[in-house]
Amino acid sequence: MNKKNLILGGLLLVLLVLAFVYQGPFGDWRKKEKKELNIFSDLNVDNVNKIELSGSKGKKVFVKNASLWQEEGIKNSMLNSQAVDSALSSLKQSKEENPILISELADKQADFETSTEKGYKVVLKNGDEVIKDFVIGKNTNDFRGSYVSETGSNKTYISSINLTSVFGHDDWLNKSIFVAESSPINKIRFQYPSREFTVEKP
């Protein structure tokens, strides 16, 4: 075997070793480092019994009473269970993803709307203890995800979960007048000051 072949063989061996390290120990380290960027990784949604939402339209505070949620300080203000379930479910999904760090500049947060002045601030609590404090910005360009930052941090991440749509709305209250099983009902009477009428199943 000539000298040229020995050199080529040595280079090939070095490349194989580098590939092994990159895919093996170093690859595991990269995956771990990326996973640590997830600001929701330590969030236990089951411990949340108070949600504070602050945005351009003011502040709302939701509290959990037994298994039901209601707006704090407002009588008969039960929340739409589907809206709350959707918001909490999106946070559970966020725990499992690997968000992308898009910026570490505070000045760029205005562009992503993840500053406290432009974004939708969410504070999750257990009683008076703050569990998680973050700001949801605008949707990503494909409207499938959202920009998000921890309050007080200059970093902005892209989340593949559309947190903007499940938190940034005003349709939280349960607008049902009453809840009843429909099967036993066969007649409904509508009564007004000047008239009344009845609808009945045939």
Side-chain angles (χ1 to χ4, degrees), residues 136-140 145-147 161-169:
I136 300 170
K138 63 182 181 180
N139 286 124
T140 52
S146 301
Y147 296 102
I161 311 300
N162 195 333
L163 298 171
T164 308
S165 65
V166 295
F167 279 99
H169 63 84

Side-chain angles (χ1 to χ4, degrees), residues 71-90:
E71 188 167 353
E72 187 177 64
I74 301 179
K75 189 178 180 180
N76 299 323
S77 58
M78 304 308 294
L79 300 190
N80 182 339
S81 60
Q82 290 184 338
V84 177
D85 289 345
S86 179
L88 296 179
S89 177
S90 69

Side-chain angles (χ1 to χ4, degrees), residues 17 85 105 108 127 192-193 202:
V17 171
D85 289 345
L105 301 176
K108 297 293 292 183
Y192 299 92

Side-chain angles (χ1 to χ4, degrees), residues 111-178:
D111 297 334
F112 302 120
E113 297 183 10
T114 57
S115 63
T116 53
E117 293 79 14
K118 284 198 169 186
Y120 204 75
K121 184 178 179 181
V122 181
V123 182
L124 306 176
K125 291 185 173 182
N126 183 290
D128 293 328
E129 178 190 357
V130 175
I131 298 176
K132 189 63 62 179
D133 188 347
F134 58 98
V135 180
I136 300 170
K138 63 182 181 180
N139 286 124
T140 52
N141 292 335
D142 59 5
F143 290 95
R144 294 181 179 180
S146 301
Y147 296 102
V148 62
S149 295
E150 280 193 287
T151 303
S153 171
N154 295 335
K155 295 180 179 180
T156 298
Y157 302 92
I158 293 178
S159 169
S160 62
I161 311 300
N162 195 333
L163 298 171
T164 308
S165 65
V166 295
F167 279 99
H169 63 84
D170 295 319
D171 192 23
W172 291 100
L173 293 182
N174 186 348
K175 299 175 183 177
S176 301
I177 299 174
F178 68 94

